[in-house]
Amino acid sequence: KAGVTQTPRYLIKTRGQQVTLSCSPISGHRSVSWYQQTPGQGLQFLFEYFSETQRNKGNFPGRFSGRQFSNSRSEMNVSTLELGDSALYLCASSPTGGRADYEQYFGPGTRLTVT
Amino acid sequence: QKEVEQNSGPLSVPEGAIASLNCTYSDRGSQSFFWYRQYSGKSPELIMFIYSNGDKEDGRFTAQLNKASQYVSLLIRDSQPSDSATYLCAVKVWGGYNKLIFGAGTRLAVHP
């Protein structure tokens, strides 16, 4: 089975711009979660989508948004970029939602640099 | 108090030794626990998960969970230089669906 794919892998943007990142989960997986990883804050949960619905959201400003399509692919968008948004953005997929023992598999990530 | 705490390390062990990585969590509603390995510049890779008290073994790795003490650990037997990485402990809480709360990670260095 192919793993989680994320595009693009690297991105350089300027403050004030917006960006859209894409994630394709493992085939058959319906849950997609997004995380931000920075040296200072570590790995932090952004949001989770399941069956095209956002089920959970982390403590990030409204500039961070996402969506999921009927084929389970997901996108996240960051508007009005700030220097502090520079990070590795990781997408993780799970077979379904709710069971305690279903693990999450991470994609390679998108490295976003804001200048 | 952070929700998931790990010693940042580095934890240095000689090749062939047992590496012991520890993690404590604050939420008693935590239901399942995960260990991820992350090499520098790469994404996290799932090593093991555990949700029942006791030990769970998979090859050279053993996860141990003690819910009463709110403590989870990962033992790596016969450590190899290729095990040198950052090990992330993550917790899933009841009602959080698939939200994982991560610790800051412990850097492990295995020297020949």
Side-chain angles (χ1 to χ4, degrees), chain A residues 4-112:
Chain A
V4 180
T5 59
Q6 292 187 246
T7 57
R9 294 292 310 279
Y10 303 91
L11 208 48
I12 300 175
K13 290 287 188 178
T14 304
R15 270 181 301 175
Q17 288 186 315
Q18 75 165 15
V19 67
T20 299
L21 312 181
S22 179
C23 171
S24 291
I26 293 170
S27 178
H29 286 195
R30 295 166 61 194
S31 168
V32 173
S33 299
W34 288 90
Y35 295 83
Q36 180 196 64
Q37 187 174 32
T38 60
Q41 298 298 317
L43 259 165
Q44 293 186 289
F45 173 79
L46 280 157
F47 28 65
E48 182 203 358
Y49 286 88
F50 178 71
S51 292
E52 302 178 64
T53 301
Q54 185 183 89
R55 296 204 305 179
N56 205 345
K57 189 177 191 305
N59 294 324
F60 280 83
R63 300 185 298 105
F64 292 81
S65 63
R67 59 178 175 168
Q68 186 181 34
F69 302 95
S70 57
N71 62 358
S72 294
R73 190 178 70 85
S74 177
E75 290 180 346
M76 68 162 282
N77 183 277
V78 187
S79 62
T80 319
L81 284 166
E82 300 178 358
L83 293 179
D85 297 333
S86 295
L88 179 66
Y89 289 89
L90 293 158
C91 165
S93 80
S94 299
T96 184
R99 279 194 59 181
D101 54 346
Y102 276 127
E103 58 269 33
Q104 291 182 46
Y105 298 96
F106 283 88
T110 294
R111 173 74 63 184
L112 172 64

Side-chain angles (χ1 to χ4, degrees), chain B residues 88-99:
Chain B
L88 299 161
C89 171
V91 170
K92 191 184 291 187
V93 177
W94 278 110
Y97 298 105
N98 279 321
K99 173 182 177 179

Side-chain angles (χ1 to χ4, degrees), chain B residues 6-42:
Chain B
Q6 296 181 255
N7 189 319
S8 61
L11 173 65
S12 182
V13 301
E15 184 175 356
I18 295 176
S20 177
L21 304 160
N22 304 315
C23 173
T24 58
Y25 59 94
S26 60
D27 193 332
R28 288 197 172 272
S30 301
Q31 57 176 191
S32 49
F33 308 84
F34 304 81
W35 284 100
Y36 286 85
R37 176 175 63 194
Q38 187 173 28
Y39 293 110
S40 181
K42 301 293 185 182

Side-chain angles (χ1 to χ4, degrees), chain B residues 39-76:
Chain B
Y39 293 110
S40 181
K42 301 293 185 182
S43 63
E45 172 193 8
L46 180 67
I47 298 175
M48 293 190 69
F49 66 91
I50 186 169
Y51 50 90
S52 298
N53 272 328
D55 295 359
K56 179 181 178 183
E57 188 174 315
D58 184 1
R60 295 188 297 115
F61 300 97
T62 299
Q64 299 174 316
L65 175 61
N66 184 325
K67 289 188 177 180
S69 300
Q70 295 177 246
Y71 173 94
V72 58
S73 65
L74 179 71
L75 300 178
I76 306 175

